[in-house]
Amino acid sequence: MNTHSLTITDNRTGKSYDISIQYGTYPNYGASINAIDLRQIKTTKEDFGLLTYDPGYTNTASCKSDVTFLDGEEGILRYRGYPIEQLAEKSTYLETAYLLLHGELPNVEQLQNWRQHICEHTFIHENIKKLIDNFQYDAHPMGILVGSVGAMSTFYPEAKNIQDHACRYQQICRLIGKMPTLAAFAYRHSRGLPYAYPDEKLSYIGNFMSMLWKGSESKYQPDPVLEKAIDVLFILHADHEQNCSTSSMRMVASSYSDPLSAISAAIAALYGPRHGGANEAVLQMLKEIGSVDNVPNFIKSVKSGEAGRLMGFGHRVYKSYDPRAKICKQLAREVFAVTGANPLIDIALELERIALQDDYFISRQLYPNVDFYSGLIYQAMGFPVGMFPVLFAIARTAGWVAQWQEFLLDPDNKIARPRQIYCGHEQRDYVPLDKRE
Ligand code: CMC
């Protein structure tokens, strides 16, 4: 008997079925059965067969992946096997992006070439600039990003050659290279400021800062502490396995649409307050709470359901402290030493202190997630709240393209097409308008 199997007895028929269990890297993490194996379980020959019902994919693996490992019980996050803590301390965003894509850290020459290839793609077409010009002055920068990245697919129609390795690589460099430029232009547009073009002499992050904040000086000098902090935040956000936006990227890409269109869909998925929009929502929540004295009452109203959710808390996978939030909390101290403290930090710390002692949050295993502290850092640096999810999107681009490439090279890849359990009417006859009640 195959001991790595499941015996299922269908009590409707008394029949038993042996279904194989498969494993990933860890035998006690990610054991699974093939959902299609359940289809053989039928009551009659005509019966369609058994489906699984899993709204929100709470217990469904949609793919096999080598990119990111996440153990939510233990609070572990690793990219290609490397702990997030080590990458945040020792790596750079561009090096991490290379790692996510290629599976290995680059050597000196590979890193140099990679930087060069990204650098070659930082400028955007002047017509994209004009497109950004035509958004309303108060357009949300995430909306601008969704629109301008989607529009880019019309400027680079060759991007649809997704089976061509060189073409895929070009789109990957294009997306990682252009995303900060689009984001900075969206920011400048909202301020009514002239656009600052890329400066390839600066680092990836330094160049982004220059495009955001360069004034009349001939050369922008990024503050090294803030440059490092943005780099670390980008590393923390670079990938997070099959989250909502990455799954959207994979889902859209599964129809073999081009990666620029697919990333536009991923950005749209990231935008919502349950996902990447949470950092923006955290800041709004902290502002509304107003002072440390109001925190106990606010927690009470979250528990009673009056105040909505405690934003920046809870996670589908993490049932312990999000390791990224730990790093963010420490990073906030370093950034505040340069920028001055964000006055909302005291409210955030008090919220965390009270929530972590409260039965409501303990019993539901709700801890601060990455978005709880990241917004406070970004605000202290001078970013308006609307830019927070945009920063998340720039960083997550590395993960999106790595997962996209993995999907395309996966021999098991299929168009995403979930099933449903139909609960509507059975067949009925059309009723003419004058006969309806
Ligand atoms: N505040 C208060 N209660 C919460 C919260 C919260 N932030 N999150 C979950 N709960 C409660 C929820 O009401 C439910 O309680 P009950 O069992 O009594 O009905 C229980 O915890 C389970 O919640 P759920 O909605 O079933 O959990 P989920 O895994 O579907 O949702 C989540 C995960 C992240 C959407 C949710 O925790 C949430 O809305 N958090 C606030 C938004 C947020 O911070 N999002 C950022 C996530 S991390 C970064 C990213 O992914 O982009």
Side-chain angles (χ1 to χ4, degrees), residues 98-113:
Y98 183 100
L99 170 70
L100 287 168
L101 267 160
H102 295 87
E104 297 297 337
L105 287 165
N107 63 27
V108 173
E109 193 191 345
Q110 286 165 332
L111 186 57
Q112 238 164 19
N113 290 339

PDB file of all heavy atoms in Angstrom, residues 98-113:
ATOM      1  N   TYR A  98      17.602  40.439  -8.892  1.00  0.00           N
ATOM      2  CA  TYR A  98      18.344  39.460  -9.694  1.00  0.00           C
ATOM      3  C   TYR A  98      18.163  38.062  -9.085  1.00  0.00           C
ATOM      4  O   TYR A  98      17.896  37.090  -9.801  1.00  0.00           O
ATOM      5  CB  TYR A  98      19.835  39.849  -9.732  1.00  0.00           C
ATOM      6  CG  TYR A  98      20.677  38.933 -10.588  1.00  0.00           C
ATOM      7  CD1 TYR A  98      21.043  39.291 -11.887  1.00  0.00           C
ATOM      8  CD2 TYR A  98      21.114  37.692 -10.106  1.00  0.00           C
ATOM      9  CE1 TYR A  98      21.795  38.446 -12.682  1.00  0.00           C
ATOM     10  CE2 TYR A  98      21.866  36.836 -10.890  1.00  0.00           C
ATOM     11  CZ  TYR A  98      22.211  37.220 -12.179  1.00  0.00           C
ATOM     12  OH  TYR A  98      22.966  36.372 -12.960  1.00  0.00           O
ATOM     13  N   LEU A  99      18.301  37.994  -7.768  1.00  0.00           N
ATOM     14  CA  LEU A  99      18.160  36.713  -7.063  1.00  0.00           C
ATOM     15  C   LEU A  99      16.775  36.105  -7.303  1.00  0.00           C
ATOM     16  O   LEU A  99      16.646  34.916  -7.611  1.00  0.00           O
ATOM     17  CB  LEU A  99      18.378  36.945  -5.562  1.00  0.00           C
ATOM     18  CG  LEU A  99      18.051  35.783  -4.628  1.00  0.00           C
ATOM     19  CD1 LEU A  99      19.064  34.654  -4.803  1.00  0.00           C
ATOM     20  CD2 LEU A  99      18.033  36.242  -3.162  1.00  0.00           C
ATOM     21  N   LEU A 100      15.748  36.928  -7.184  1.00  0.00           N
ATOM     22  CA  LEU A 100      14.377  36.427  -7.373  1.00  0.00           C
ATOM     23  C   LEU A 100      14.200  35.871  -8.781  1.00  0.00           C
ATOM     24  O   LEU A 100      13.612  34.815  -8.981  1.00  0.00           O
ATOM     25  CB  LEU A 100      13.362  37.555  -7.127  1.00  0.00           C
ATOM     26  CG  LEU A 100      13.175  37.971  -5.666  1.00  0.00           C
ATOM     27  CD1 LEU A 100      12.388  39.281  -5.579  1.00  0.00           C
ATOM     28  CD2 LEU A 100      12.460  36.886  -4.868  1.00  0.00           C
ATOM     29  N   LEU A 101      14.773  36.580  -9.747  1.00  0.00           N
ATOM     30  CA  LEU A 101      14.602  36.188 -11.145  1.00  0.00           C
ATOM     31  C   LEU A 101      15.436  34.988 -11.551  1.00  0.00           C
ATOM     32  O   LEU A 101      14.977  34.100 -12.260  1.00  0.00           O
ATOM     33  CB  LEU A 101      15.025  37.344 -12.044  1.00  0.00           C
ATOM     34  CG  LEU A 101      13.901  38.264 -12.448  1.00  0.00           C
ATOM     35  CD1 LEU A 101      14.446  39.581 -12.901  1.00  0.00           C
ATOM     36  CD2 LEU A 101      13.095  37.607 -13.560  1.00  0.00           C
ATOM     37  N   HIS A 102      16.700  35.002 -11.126  1.00  0.00           N
ATOM     38  CA  HIS A 102      17.636  33.989 -11.606  1.00  0.00           C
ATOM     39  C   HIS A 102      17.819  32.821 -10.646  1.00  0.00           C
ATOM     40  O   HIS A 102      18.403  31.815 -11.018  1.00  0.00           O
ATOM     41  CB  HIS A 102      19.003  34.622 -11.886  1.00  0.00           C
ATOM     42  CG  HIS A 102      18.966  35.619 -13.016  1.00  0.00           C
ATOM     43  ND1 HIS A 102      18.648  36.942 -12.815  1.00  0.00           N
ATOM     44  CD2 HIS A 102      19.194  35.478 -14.334  1.00  0.00           C
ATOM     45  CE1 HIS A 102      18.688  37.576 -13.975  1.00  0.00           C
ATOM     46  NE2 HIS A 102      19.010  36.713 -14.919  1.00  0.00           N
ATOM     47  N   GLY A 103      17.391  32.989  -9.408  1.00  0.00           N
ATOM     48  CA  GLY A 103      17.504  31.884  -8.456  1.00  0.00           C
ATOM     49  C   GLY A 103      18.798  31.876  -7.675  1.00  0.00           C
ATOM     50  O   GLY A 103      18.928  31.142  -6.702  1.00  0.00           O
ATOM     51  N   GLU A 104      19.793  32.655  -8.111  1.00  0.00           N
ATOM     52  CA  GLU A 104      21.087  32.714  -7.418  1.00  0.00           C
ATOM     53  C   GLU A 104      21.510  34.164  -7.279  1.00  0.00           C
ATOM     54  O   GLU A 104      21.120  35.006  -8.095  1.00  0.00           O
ATOM     55  CB  GLU A 104      22.171  31.975  -8.220  1.00  0.00           C
ATOM     56  CG  GLU A 104      21.931  30.483  -8.397  1.00  0.00           C
ATOM     57  CD  GLU A 104      21.926  29.699  -7.094  1.00  0.00           C
ATOM     58  OE1 GLU A 104      22.511  30.168  -6.101  1.00  0.00           O
ATOM     59  OE2 GLU A 104      21.293  28.617  -7.064  1.00  0.00           O
ATOM     60  N   LEU A 105      22.355  34.424  -6.268  1.00  0.00           N
ATOM     61  CA  LEU A 105      22.928  35.767  -6.155  1.00  0.00           C
ATOM     62  C   LEU A 105      23.906  35.974  -7.305  1.00  0.00           C
ATOM     63  O   LEU A 105      24.600  35.030  -7.712  1.00  0.00           O
ATOM     64  CB  LEU A 105      23.658  35.916  -4.817  1.00  0.00           C
ATOM     65  CG  LEU A 105      22.761  36.020  -3.578  1.00  0.00           C
ATOM     66  CD1 LEU A 105      23.564  35.797  -2.308  1.00  0.00           C
ATOM     67  CD2 LEU A 105      22.043  37.369  -3.533  1.00  0.00           C
ATOM     68  N   PRO A 106      24.015  37.189  -7.841  1.00  0.00           N
ATOM     69  CA  PRO A 106      24.918  37.420  -8.974  1.00  0.00           C
ATOM     70  C   PRO A 106      26.376  37.544  -8.518  1.00  0.00           C
ATOM     71  O   PRO A 106      26.639  37.933  -7.378  1.00  0.00           O
ATOM     72  CB  PRO A 106      24.426  38.769  -9.514  1.00  0.00           C
ATOM     73  CG  PRO A 106      23.844  39.467  -8.314  1.00  0.00           C
ATOM     74  CD  PRO A 106      23.264  38.390  -7.441  1.00  0.00           C
ATOM     75  N   ASN A 107      27.333  37.211  -9.421  1.00  0.00           N
ATOM     76  CA  ASN A 107      28.723  37.569  -9.130  1.00  0.00           C
ATOM     77  C   ASN A 107      28.924  39.026  -9.556  1.00  0.00           C
ATOM     78  O   ASN A 107      27.990  39.679 -10.055  1.00  0.00           O
ATOM     79  CB  ASN A 107      29.702  36.594  -9.797  1.00  0.00           C
ATOM     80  CG  ASN A 107      29.590  36.631 -11.326  1.00  0.00           C
ATOM     81  OD1 ASN A 107      29.202  37.647 -11.895  1.00  0.00           O
ATOM     82  ND2 ASN A 107      29.908  35.519 -11.968  1.00  0.00           N
ATOM     83  N   VAL A 108      30.152  39.539  -9.401  1.00  0.00           N
ATOM     84  CA  VAL A 108      30.398  40.968  -9.640  1.00  0.00           C
ATOM     85  C   VAL A 108      29.998  41.363 -11.067  1.00  0.00           C
ATOM     86  O   VAL A 108      29.306  42.364 -11.286  1.00  0.00           O
ATOM     87  CB  VAL A 108      31.888  41.300  -9.383  1.00  0.00           C
ATOM     88  CG1 VAL A 108      32.203  42.743  -9.781  1.00  0.00           C
ATOM     89  CG2 VAL A 108      32.226  41.080  -7.917  1.00  0.00           C
ATOM     90  N   GLU A 109      30.434  40.540 -12.021  1.00  0.00           N
ATOM     91  CA  GLU A 109      30.164  40.884 -13.422  1.00  0.00           C
ATOM     92  C   GLU A 109      28.663  40.803 -13.748  1.00  0.00           C
ATOM     93  O   GLU A 109      28.109  41.677 -14.428  1.00  0.00           O
ATOM     94  CB  GLU A 109      30.947  39.912 -14.312  1.00  0.00           C
ATOM     95  CG  GLU A 109      30.997  40.359 -15.747  1.00  0.00           C
ATOM     96  CD  GLU A 109      31.546  39.256 -16.653  1.00  0.00           C
ATOM     97  OE1 GLU A 109      32.136  38.281 -16.136  1.00  0.00           O
ATOM     98  OE2 GLU A 109      31.346  39.381 -17.871  1.00  0.00           O
ATOM     99  N   GLN A 110      28.030  39.765 -13.223  1.00  0.00           N
ATOM    100  CA  GLN A 110      26.581  39.608 -13.474  1.00  0.00           C
ATOM    101  C   GLN A 110      25.786  40.786 -12.892  1.00  0.00           C
ATOM    102  O   GLN A 110      24.858  41.294 -13.514  1.00  0.00           O
ATOM    103  CB  GLN A 110      26.077  38.300 -12.848  1.00  0.00           C
ATOM    104  CG  GLN A 110      26.513  37.071 -13.616  1.00  0.00           C
ATOM    105  CD  GLN A 110      26.322  35.787 -12.816  1.00  0.00           C
ATOM    106  OE1 GLN A 110      26.366  35.787 -11.587  1.00  0.00           O
ATOM    107  NE2 GLN A 110      26.115  34.688 -13.511  1.00  0.00           N
ATOM    108  N   LEU A 111      26.221  41.240 -11.714  1.00  0.00           N
ATOM    109  CA  LEU A 111      25.512  42.350 -11.078  1.00  0.00           C
ATOM    110  C   LEU A 111      25.707  43.642 -11.881  1.00  0.00           C
ATOM    111  O   LEU A 111      24.767  44.422 -12.078  1.00  0.00           O
ATOM    112  CB  LEU A 111      25.996  42.533  -9.627  1.00  0.00           C
ATOM    113  CG  LEU A 111      25.245  43.561  -8.797  1.00  0.00           C
ATOM    114  CD1 LEU A 111      23.748  43.260  -8.716  1.00  0.00           C
ATOM    115  CD2 LEU A 111      25.815  43.647  -7.370  1.00  0.00           C
ATOM    116  N   GLN A 112      26.966  43.821 -12.358  1.00  0.00           N
ATOM    117  CA  GLN A 112      27.258  45.018 -13.161  1.00  0.00           C
ATOM    118  C   GLN A 112      26.393  45.047 -14.428  1.00  0.00           C
ATOM    119  O   GLN A 112      25.793  46.065 -14.766  1.00  0.00           O
ATOM    120  CB  GLN A 112      28.719  44.968 -13.593  1.00  0.00           C
ATOM    121  CG  GLN A 112      29.514  46.164 -13.143  1.00  0.00           C
ATOM    122  CD  GLN A 112      30.998  45.872 -13.264  1.00  0.00           C
ATOM    123  OE1 GLN A 112      31.423  44.967 -13.984  1.00  0.00           O
ATOM    124  NE2 GLN A 112      31.781  46.643 -12.552  1.00  0.00           N
ATOM    125  N   ASN A 113      26.343  43.908 -15.104  1.00  0.00           N
ATOM    126  CA  ASN A 113      25.541  43.818 -16.339  1.00  0.00           C
ATOM    127  C   ASN A 113      24.068  44.054 -16.049  1.00  0.00           C
ATOM    128  O   ASN A 113      23.389  44.750 -16.793  1.00  0.00           O
ATOM    129  CB  ASN A 113      25.696  42.445 -16.997  1.00  0.00           C
ATOM    130  CG  ASN A 113      27.076  42.284 -17.588  1.00  0.00           C
ATOM    131  OD1 ASN A 113      27.756  43.273 -17.851  1.00  0.00           O
ATOM    132  ND2 ASN A 113      27.504  41.049 -17.774  1.00  0.00           N
TER     133      ASN A 113
END
